[in-house]
Amino acid sequence: MKLRTRLTLAFIVVVLLAVATLAVAVGWATRTFFHGYLEDVAGKRQQVWGDFFTAYYRDRGEWTGVQELLDIPWHSGLDQGMVRGQGMGRGQGLGRGRTGLERVILADSNGRVIADTYGLKLGERLSEQELAQGTAIVVNGREVGTVLLTTATPPGVLSREDLFTRSVTVAIILAGIAALILAGLAGFFLARRIAGPLSQLTAAVYRLAAGGWEQRLVLTGDEEIVQLVTAFNDMAARLEKYEALRRNLVADVAHELRTPLTVLRGQLESLQAGALEIKPDVIMSLHDEILRLSRLVHDLQELSLAEAKKLPLHRETFNLVEIVQKVFNFFQVEADSKNISLILDTEEHDIEIEGDRDRLTQVLINLLGNALRYTPSRGRVEVTIKESPGEVSVSVADTGPGIAPADLPYVFERFYRTEKSRNRAQGGAGLGLAIAKGFVEAHGGRIWVESQPGQGTRFIFTIPAANHILPL
């Protein structure tokens, strides 16, 4: 079942249950309170009749002629007479006749019926229960009779209580039908408003799954729908980016492997054909190509482990300044040959950190090697180490040509090279900075680059202090 249909039916069911519950509650309340209201009205009217008969007995001193009074058919002025406090002789319309709905029964002090608007119980004695429901008539402190008022409903005629209850029930049913119609319409349009964007989103997801990485949606509406569409667009953009990186990775790996494999194949074929003699320099050349392949495979494996957060770290406490000095010594010959100054700037000569010595040494080698490769003669490469609360920062700055702003967001990606300063002719497979980023983040640190064309480049990375090392 579609979401639109389910939402519409849910709205109708909820409203139907609400209307049914309301009908039951209102019906019960109507019967209970309206019945009480009718009883209260009947009691007051019975009291009015009691006052009338009290005045009648006080004027006459006896009940003679009271039945004839109730037999008068033109009695619409009963309440007027009662309001005026008139007696028998001055009241007009004292009974309702035998065709009326209100029946008045008057019993004397012995409980014998002496007046009945229907004339059916004349001379009969009322039971104690019936007398208890009536109103006693007391004159001069003596009970002289009891008046009992009842309501009789002729066959085929609804009582006032039933008529009122039926009217309320009909009104509730009509209101319920109207509410159901409105709920159905509201549910339909609301479900359409919700399900419509979801249907478009579902279609876009299918297209994205089929390889349509360019899928983007532009939808307006509720905040949640807009947020969902924004999240989808972000996901699609990331997937498109990752797909491009995957294709580039495959192409770059194939290119990096093709060169040493071509060299190996050519020299081996030459050896097999006898065109090339087995000499130490030939063997060294083959060995160098194999080492190059091994380094590439090793670097890719290390990078994959770092990106998957599964890079093993052998933590130990060591002096970071000492490690930097050893790396300086490693590159000193190259720096001297290019007339480049290597400078170490640190406030302390003994900065203890906790981490993987070999991994962080590799980070420094990659960054310093990169800086020396692109720093011109008579340039300068400076390493600055600073301690701050919770972390240690290391920056490697050079006076090279710098990096264009368009290339800065991609310098840490695998196999990425700028068109000028990061090309294969100058060496490297394009993995050094990606590996440095992976190793630093494996330690819970950060790494970034600051550069402007013609003003050099500065790589900065931070490592948490010994007491802030994140658990693996």
Side-chain angles (χ1 to χ4, degrees):
M1 185 181 295
K2 292 185 177 180
L3 177 62
R4 182 181 303 178
T5 305
R6 294 177 64 181
L7 287 175
T8 304
L9 291 178
F11 267 85
I12 294 176
V13 169
V14 169
V15 172
L16 184 61
L17 292 176
V19 170
T21 304
L22 180 64
V24 172
V26 171
W28 175 83
T30 301
R31 286 188 174 276
T32 301
F33 293 107
F34 189 66
H35 181 73
Y37 165 76
L38 292 180
E39 287 185 347
D40 183 62
V41 170
K44 290 181 178 179
R45 290 192 59 80
Q46 185 169 272
Q47 183 62 47
V48 169
W49 278 103
D51 294 341
F52 170 76
F53 284 122
T54 299
Y56 180 90
Y57 190 88
R58 184 181 294 115
D59 289 345
R60 294 292 184 91
E62 60 182 357
W63 292 118
T64 304
V66 68
Q67 176 62 35
E68 290 76 8
L69 181 66
L70 294 181
D71 285 339
I72 299 175
W74 38 279
H75 55 268
S76 59
L78 172 65
D79 292 340
Q80 297 176 3
M82 293 301 102
V83 171
R84 296 191 191 101
Q86 296 173 342
M88 174 195 75
R90 291 168 293 176
Q92 294 183 358
L94 304 181
R96 290 186 176 268
R98 295 181 182 179
T99 60
L101 299 180
E102 192 175 75
R103 182 181 183 181
V104 181
I105 298 175
L106 176 65
D108 59 14
S109 58
N110 297 319
R112 185 173 59 87
V113 176
I114 57 176
D116 181 2
T117 53
Y118 278 36
L120 300 178
K121 286 193 173 185
L122 291 174
E124 296 183 7
R125 287 187 178 276
L126 297 180
S127 64
E128 294 294 334
Q129 184 179 3
E130 290 175 323
L131 291 173
Q133 295 177 355
T135 299
I137 301 173
V138 180
V139 176
N140 297 326
R142 184 171 65 90
E143 183 175 335
V144 296
T146 302
V147 61
L148 180 64
L149 187 67
T150 62
T151 300
T153 303
V157 180
L158 295 176
S159 67
R160 285 177 291 177
E161 182 178 351
D162 291 336
L163 185 62
F164 181 78
T165 303
R166 177 173 292 188
S167 300
V168 172
T169 303
V170 171
I172 292 176
I173 292 174
L174 294 177
I177 294 174
L180 285 175
I181 295 174
L182 293 177
L185 294 175
F188 174 77
F189 287 109
L190 181 60
R192 184 178 180 182
R193 181 182 179 89
I194 295 175
L198 292 180
S199 299
Q200 298 182 45
L201 183 61
T202 301
V205 169
Y206 280 122
R207 291 193 296 269
L208 184 66
W213 311 112
E214 75 285 352
Q215 294 299 316
R216 301 293 186 275
L217 291 176
V218 180
L219 295 176
T220 58
D222 297 327
E223 182 179 355
E224 292 78 5
I225 297 296
V226 173
Q227 290 177 351
L228 182 61
V229 170
T230 302
F232 170 80
N233 290 337
D234 291 342
M235 179 189 69
R238 289 176 179 271
L239 289 176
E240 185 178 19
K241 175 184 175 182
Y242 291 151
E243 177 62 18
L245 290 176
R246 185 190 66 81
R247 289 194 297 264
N248 293 337
L249 174 62
V250 172
D252 290 334
V253 170
H255 180 85
E256 295 296 336
L257 293 176
R258 185 182 299 112
T259 301
L261 288 175
T262 301
V263 173
L264 286 172
R265 178 181 178 182
Q267 291 186 349
L268 289 174
E269 288 178 350
S270 298
L271 288 172
Q272 288 178 342
L276 189 64
E277 296 181 6
I278 300 178
K279 295 180 180 181
D281 57 339
V282 175
I283 295 177
M284 287 296 298
S285 176
L286 294 173
H287 185 261
D288 289 342
E289 294 303 325
I290 292 175
L291 289 179
R292 181 180 176 185
L293 282 173
S294 298
R295 285 195 301 270
L296 178 60
V297 172
H298 179 268
D299 289 345
L300 286 173
Q301 182 182 17
E302 294 284 279
L303 185 57
S304 298
L305 290 174
E307 291 178 346
K309 310 296 183 185
K310 295 182 179 180
L311 184 69
L313 297 179
H314 304 286
R315 296 188 183 276
E316 60 179 316
T317 302
F318 58 90
N319 186 356
L320 180 61
V321 178
E322 180 182 337
I323 296 299
V324 174
Q325 194 62 57
K326 287 183 179 180
V327 176
F328 268 27
N329 296 336
F330 179 77
F331 286 106
Q332 192 64 56
V333 175
E334 180 181 351
D336 291 343
S337 65
K338 296 180 64 174
N339 197 19
I340 296 175
S341 301
L342 292 178
I343 302 172
L344 175 60
D345 180 13
T346 177
E347 299 176 354
E348 302 288 341
H349 295 284
D350 187 10
I351 300 178
E352 298 288 336
I353 65 171
E354 183 179 343
D356 191 314
R357 182 194 300 264
D358 294 335
R359 307 290 189 191
L360 293 179
T361 299
Q362 185 64 47
V363 172
L364 291 169
I365 289 175
N366 291 354
L367 294 180
L368 278 171
N370 208 56
L372 287 173
R373 186 177 301 119
Y374 304 109
T375 299
S377 179
R378 298 182 182 278
R380 185 179 74 256
V381 174
E382 183 175 357
V383 177
T384 304
I385 306 176
K386 292 183 179 180
E387 285 188 287
S388 58
E391 65 180 13
V392 177
S393 65
V394 179
S395 68
V396 179
D398 62 52
T399 56
I403 304 174
D407 295 319
L408 283 176
Y410 309 104
V411 296
F412 292 106
E413 292 183 1
R414 292 172 290 186
F415 299 109
Y416 185 81
R417 300 177 181 84
T418 62
E419 294 181 358
K420 296 180 180 179
S421 60
R422 297 319 192 243
N423 54 62
R424 287 185 176 88
Q426 292 176 297
L431 294 175
L433 293 178
I435 290 175
K437 181 175 184 292
F439 286 1
V440 169
E441 291 180 349
H443 282 80
R446 299 177 296 120
I447 186 170
W448 66 95
V449 60
E450 299 172 355
S451 181
Q452 291 185 1
Q455 299 184 18
T457 303
R458 180 186 299 273
F459 285 90
I460 307 103
F461 70 89
T462 62
I463 298 295
N467 56 344
H468 286 77
I469 293 294
L470 297 176
L472 289 176

